[in-house]
Amino acid sequence: MKNRLLCVFVAVLITTSALGDAGVLIPRDKQQPDPAILSLEEMEITVRIDNGDARVFVRQVFANHTGAIEEGNYIFALPSHATISDFATWDGPVRLPAVILERKRAEELYNQLKQQAIDPGLLQMGERGAEEAKRSSVFSARIVPIPAWGTKRLEIEYHQSIPVEMLKSYFAIPLRPDAYHAQTARHFRINFELHSAHAIRNFDAPAKTFPLQLDQNTPHTVIGHYEGQDVNLTEDLVTTYELDPSESDKLQLLTYRNPVSDQPSPTETSPVRSVNEPGFFEAQALLGYGNAGTSDAAATVARKTVIVLFDTSLSMQWEKLERSYQALETLLRTLKSQDRFGLVLFNTDTQVLPVSAADSPNIQHAIDVVRASRLRGGTDLQKALQFGLQQAALSGVNDAYLVILSDGGATRGPIQNGKIAAWYASAWNQLPLTQRPHTYILAVGDDANLPLFRLLARQDGVLDHVLSTEPIDFKLNSFLSKIGRSPVGELGLTVTPGAAVDAVYPLQASTFPGSLASWIGRYEKPQERASFIVHGVREGTAVQLTGETSLPRESLDHPQLPRLWAKARVDALLEKIERDGEDQASIDEIIRLARKYKFVTPYTSFFAVPRALLRPRVIRPGDPILRVKTDESIVSVIALFPFGLVQPLRYLSSEDIWQTRFLAPVDMQDGTYTVRLVLRDQIGHIYRESKTFVISSKPPTLKVKLDRKRFQRGQTIDLKVRASESTRTLVARLDGAVPVTLRWDAKSAANTGSLTIPEQMIPGDYKLTVIAEDIAHNIGTEEVQIEVLP
């Protein structure tokens, strides 16, 4: 059995590129899924949403259509608020799960096997650096062996927290192709369950490729399924639903206790039976809009000032820049005439546009400045925050918002999260009370520095996070809707008797009217009756919700609660470490909880195999960057390029990565090329690995179709665009209007979208521009002349 376990290796790669595809298996030496080699024979997705916690289990079977033993790279893009809880491959009838170990223990095994010339490794949360281990969103595993003419079964499970915003919830699994071509599942099945203690309404699953058949649709339960053959996975699996407003300002209480459970043993072999386990509870308060009635009415009509910190450092390339720019443009174009705004562009240096009126010329000037700027240098985040606070103080209003659009990766000035957060808290508190801005953060990118942003958002702020792998519209609209509104203040939970519970943690950093506030806690002994009171201040008025329940000796209805509590406890310990430094007691508790409840942390690892990482994988001729991630023992990396160049790589200690620039000859033909890497470790051992990249120089082509070209103000332009196969994103732009991202619509056999002409637009002739970008970031455009009528 020991040798068999060594035949299946797994590795995690955390990338900043867009890998918006879930469950893709790419044959070795290929850049795209190739069904002629490895095809997706079966895919089953089982979703169970229990009061905002989604457990997603994906089972896939891939078939090898060659007479050789194959290997592949398995890619699964995780949504935000999601963490891996299980992964396994099957060797015939035997399930081989990945095992969570203490990080230090896993590295010891790694070194032992490497000395035996076996190709071992570590599957960790993030890449090998401790700082990178705190950021994750894309799961990547090398799968070997895949038997000749045989099949390989893979299973992955993750848990995702589903927020409630404006009494609405949005859940998605990213199946739509992004970096890779669409997969076809020969047999595809979806099992879906939604359970909610708060009444729900208007449940919708809009996918046309795999429409859910609803077997039950009641105010508290939705059950559905889909089954089909030869399904082309061109859409995300999306569901939306609303919480019934009549259920607002009600408190729901969930409990779970299994007095006997299995726990991992210290030797990582057989589990140990544990008795007298604690119980867990979750208190969920659905906070309505109070006297305001709706989110629009709840938004303040007073003048507000918005100062935007816009990151233009090199780390913001590609998808991060696209998403932060979309957020900036949408924000500016939704400001009211009485509002004011300022702009701080920052990298190593800063460029400041002082606070000015939010009229059309000023907004257009700011957008033009951003478009004309270039990504360069590192990130001096503290300097940008300092300029932002200065602009807020100079604005002279008591309702200023500091909006940060960044990945938070500081590389200049202070770079330690704890020091930056402590400085910002001090500088913020030194301002007069009326000049302290709300700190609103939209973190962008798969590697966003969420630990730092959580600390910054403590200063009267909000933190939202959008990945390169997920649709942005719902999250962006939710984030922008909070600007000008006040969260529920002084929000807290009181439990009576207090001694009955311990270790209670809030699951949201802040809660706005129309959202859900939740607390997760633990109890050691059963209690016949416990009272819960949620209290806070909403729009200046005190609000109080009450509830009562027993803390039972046994209750198995909500099995996600222990894991939710353990994750909240670990997050609190990690934040303590981030702020005060490491201590052994906290580290030991993190490791114990992660192993017991099965999730990866910066201090735990799956046992797996290391992979060097070449990015970008698809490039244009010119001057691209080769970046390679290695394990810590490597002291030298040399790249041998196919056109004769031999180039040593330089180690960047601040990023824990090897890097070099290389000049790809402009006359290189489009196609796939191999670069050979020679790695040397501390004791002189030499390792060789080959990586492939694709040269792509031709911009995508597109054809725009409109049903007419003359429109009244306030009308909607319905677009249909056909683009070449390599196209990754399509965006329609019209000066003065909010840009629109076009999505593939199988029924129309085209990319479609709707762009609304603003009511205040001046009549005349305008150019509607559609911009297409492929996975190599080549740009193609087409312009269409339209006329706006009075």
Side-chain angles (χ1 to χ4, degrees):
M1 178 60 70
K2 181 177 179 181
N3 291 334
R4 170 177 279 171
L5 286 172
L6 294 176
C7 290
V8 181
F9 298 125
V10 184
V12 156
L13 306 179
I14 303 303
T15 75
T16 56
S17 59
L19 300 172
D21 315 66
V24 175
L25 185 61
I26 304 170
R28 60 181 169 185
D29 301 328
K30 298 288 185 180
Q31 300 302 311
Q32 294 283 346
D34 187 346
I37 301 174
L38 298 173
S39 66
L40 179 55
E41 293 298 291
E42 298 179 27
M43 184 171 187
E44 183 175 15
I45 300 174
T46 301
V47 179
R48 190 179 194 276
I49 302 174
D50 185 351
N51 290 280
D53 178 84
R55 173 190 175 271
V56 180
F57 178 79
V58 179
R59 179 182 64 84
Q60 292 174 287
V61 177
F62 293 89
N64 180 1
H65 298 283
T66 74
I69 296 176
E70 292 289 342
E71 68 176 76
N73 190 36
Y74 181 73
I75 302 290
F76 199 100
L78 293 170
S80 58
H81 306 291
T83 55
I84 291 285
S85 54
D86 197 13
F87 179 77
T89 63
W90 286 70
D91 187 6
V94 180
R95 187 178 190 268
L96 304 176
V99 180
I100 292 183
L101 303 177
E102 179 186 351
R103 190 181 182 101
K104 183 177 179 180
R105 170 63 175 154
E107 289 178 346
E108 290 173 356
L109 292 173
Y110 172 89
N111 290 325
Q112 291 172 12
L113 291 177
K114 192 168 71 172
Q115 291 172 6
Q116 300 172 38
I118 299 172
D119 188 23
L122 297 174
L123 182 155
Q124 299 174 339
M125 181 181 175
E127 295 175 352
R128 288 182 55 84
E131 193 63 33
E132 287 293 320
K134 300 172 185 175
R135 314 174 190 178
S136 64
S137 66
V138 176
F139 180 92
S140 176
R142 193 177 80 172
I143 307 301
V144 59
I146 305 171
W149 309 112
T151 61
K152 178 62 68 176
R153 174 174 170 176
L154 306 176
E155 296 174 351
I156 188 169
E157 179 189 271
Y158 65 87
H159 284 254
Q160 179 184 358
S161 174
I162 304 175
V164 176
E165 304 286 357
M166 299 176 287
L167 295 179
K168 299 176 182 178
S169 284
Y170 175 95
F171 168 77
I173 298 176
L175 300 175
R176 179 179 58 85
D178 188 352
Y180 303 114
H181 296 160
Q183 289 194 106
T184 297
R186 193 174 67 85
H187 181 78
F188 185 57
R189 181 173 177 85
I190 300 170
N191 308 299
F192 182 89
E193 286 187 41
L194 167 62
H195 303 276
S196 176
H198 296 276
I200 60 175
R201 65 179 192 179
N202 296 335
F203 176 86
D204 185 31
K208 295 180 174 59
T209 307
F210 32 83
L212 279 182
Q213 178 180 331
L214 297 185
D215 305 307
Q216 183 176 348
N217 188 2
T218 69
H220 297 280
T221 302
V222 177
I223 298 176
H225 73 278
Y226 168 81
E227 191 160 7
Q229 307 294 327
D230 298 320
V231 178
N232 199 19
L233 303 180
T234 57
E235 291 184 85
D236 294 333
L237 173 57
V238 172
T239 64
T240 61
Y241 53 94
E242 301 175 10
L243 274 69
D244 192 333
S246 65
E247 294 284 299
S248 296
D249 291 348
K250 290 186 179 179
L251 181 62
Q252 297 290 348
L253 302 168
L254 315 176
T255 59
Y256 176 88
R257 187 170 189 258
N258 183 3
V260 179
S261 67
D262 291 335
Q263 300 186 35
S265 72
T267 57
E268 293 96 38
T269 55
S270 301
V272 174
R273 178 58 54 96
S274 174
V275 297
N276 202 26
E277 283 287 288
F280 302 88
F281 69 86
E282 182 179 2
Q284 293 188 341
L286 181 60
L287 294 164
Y289 297 108
N291 295 330
T294 66
S295 59
D296 292 335
T300 178
V301 296
R303 184 182 75 172
K304 60 181 177 289
T305 298
V306 176
I307 295 100
V308 183
L309 305 188
F310 190 85
D311 191 343
T312 58
S313 64
L314 281 173
S315 68
M316 294 293 291
Q317 293 184 86
W318 315 132
E319 290 76 18
K320 294 183 191 177
L321 179 62
E322 295 168 3
R323 287 169 178 255
S324 57
Y325 177 79
Q326 180 179 348
L328 171 69
E329 186 173 13
T330 305
L331 167 60
L332 295 184
R333 296 205 185 277
T334 54
L335 292 176
K336 307 299 182 184
S337 58
Q338 71 268 21
D339 296 332
R340 305 171 73 206
F341 77 97
L343 180 63
V344 179
L345 306 181
F346 69 96
N347 42 63
T348 305
D349 302 313
T350 55
Q351 179 184 356
V352 178
L353 272 65
V355 173
S356 60
D359 56 30
S360 295
N362 287 337
I363 290 174
Q364 191 60 49
H365 172 65
I367 291 173
D368 291 342
V369 168
V370 173
R371 286 179 177 173
S373 64
R374 298 180 58 125
L375 297 184
R376 64 185 68 189
T379 307
D380 194 334
L381 185 57
Q382 181 168 307
K383 183 193 293 185
L385 291 168
Q386 184 175 7
F387 274 94
L389 290 176
Q390 290 173 358
Q391 290 293 302
L394 292 173
S395 68
V397 298
N398 60 1
D399 199 16
Y401 292 81
L402 198 63
V403 178
I404 303 170
L405 305 176
S406 172
D407 61 7
T411 60
R412 299 290 186 272
I415 61 174
Q416 294 181 357
N417 289 350
K419 289 184 177 180
I420 296 174
W423 171 87
Y424 183 70
S426 174
W428 189 87
N429 281 298
Q430 287 175 17
L431 293 174
L433 187 62
T434 58
Q435 295 180 7
R436 296 174 186 172
H438 308 278
T439 308
Y440 278 37
I441 304 169
L442 183 63
V444 292
D446 304 337
D447 60 347
N449 191 355
L450 297 181
L452 172 60
F453 283 151
R454 289 190 187 101
L455 295 174
L456 296 181
R458 290 287 178 88
Q459 314 312 318
D460 195 11
V462 167
L463 169 61
D464 276 335
H465 178 211
V466 61
L467 300 170
S468 61
T469 59
E470 61 183 345
I472 189 176
D473 296 341
F474 181 85
K475 285 196 170 183
L476 179 57
N477 292 336
S478 169
F479 177 76
L480 296 180
S481 73
K482 296 171 184 174
I483 299 176
R485 298 168 56 207
S486 298
V488 179
E490 304 174 26
L491 192 58
L493 173 70
T494 301
V495 183
T496 304
V501 302
D502 69 347
V504 180
Y505 299 98
L507 295 182
Q508 295 83 20
S510 61
T511 301
F512 283 73
S515 300
L516 197 68
S518 303
W519 291 262
I520 189 81
R522 183 179 63 178
Y523 64 93
E524 292 293 341
K525 297 179 179 180
Q527 183 80 24
E528 184 175 344
R529 187 169 63 182
S531 298
F532 294 76
I533 301 176
V534 172
H535 47 81
V537 178
R538 177 178 56 201
E539 304 295 339
T541 302
V543 60
Q544 180 171 298
L545 285 64
T546 61
E548 191 173 88
T549 189
S550 66
L551 302 177
R553 188 190 70 82
E554 183 172 357
S555 175
L556 307 179
D557 288 341
H558 306 288
Q560 76 277 11
L561 296 188
R563 193 174 184 278
L564 274 177
W565 177 86
K567 189 69 171 59
R569 173 64 180 166
V570 166
D571 287 344
L573 291 170
L574 290 174
E575 185 172 311
K576 175 179 176 291
I577 289 173
E578 197 74 48
R579 183 179 61 249
D580 303 329
E582 290 185 336
D583 65 274
Q584 194 58 46
S586 296
I587 294 173
D588 290 346
E589 186 175 359
I590 289 171
I591 293 170
R592 179 180 62 81
L593 291 172
R595 294 192 60 239
K596 180 176 180 180
Y597 295 106
K598 204 170 184 183
F599 55 88
V600 181
T601 75
Y603 297 96
T604 53
S605 307
F606 281 99
F607 195 45
V609 62
R611 295 277 315 262
L613 174 60
L614 168 61
R615 50 186 171 192
R617 299 287 296 275
V618 184
I619 63 175
R620 290 171 287 184
D623 185 24
I625 298 175
L626 169 65
R627 293 162 67 88
V628 175
K629 194 79 176 180
T630 69
D631 71 70
E632 297 165 352
S633 66
I634 297 300
V635 297
S636 171
V637 180
I638 297 175
L640 289 73
F641 291 93
F643 41 84
L645 177 66
V646 178
Q647 188 88 346
L649 278 68
R650 183 167 61 94
Y651 180 66
L652 305 180
S653 57
S654 62
E655 301 183 55
D656 187 27
I657 204 163
W658 296 83
Q659 175 176 303
T660 188
R661 290 185 179 275
F662 66 97
L663 187 65
V666 295
D667 59 350
M668 284 188 74
Q669 299 296 313
D670 287 3
T672 301
Y673 296 87
T674 300
V675 56
R676 290 180 293 159
L677 302 174
V678 181
L679 302 89
R680 180 169 58 86
D681 67 14
Q682 296 168 341
I683 57 178
H685 290 161
I686 301 297
Y687 307 89
R688 293 176 174 84
E689 185 168 353
S690 295
K691 288 291 180 182
T692 59
F693 61 93
V694 176
I695 292 289
S696 177
S697 60
K698 298 176 182 177
T701 59
L702 62 158
K703 182 65 177 177
V704 180
K705 182 179 179 181
L706 304 179
D707 56 1
R708 54 198 171 94
K709 295 186 178 180
R710 305 180 75 197
F711 301 89
Q712 301 281 348
R713 289 178 291 185
Q715 288 186 333
T716 296
I717 304 175
D718 294 322
L719 298 104
K720 289 186 178 180
V721 179
R722 289 184 171 85
S724 52
E725 184 181 9
S726 62
T727 302
R728 185 178 58 86
T729 60
L730 281 166
V731 178
R733 297 185 180 276
L734 180 67
D735 283 345
V738 176
V740 172
T741 300
L742 307 182
R743 305 290 186 191
W744 175 254
D745 179 40
K747 185 177 181 180
S748 303
N751 300 278
T752 62
S754 298
L755 187 148
T756 302
I757 299 174
E759 294 280 1
Q760 68 274 18
M761 181 169 280
I762 299 173
D765 293 331
Y766 290 85
K767 287 182 179 178
L768 172 67
T769 303
V770 179
I771 304 169
E773 183 177 354
D774 65 16
I775 58 177
H777 302 287
N778 298 304
I779 301 293
T781 63
E782 182 172 335
E783 294 182 344
V784 178
Q785 195 81 15
I786 68 167
E787 182 182 358
V788 177
L789 304 174

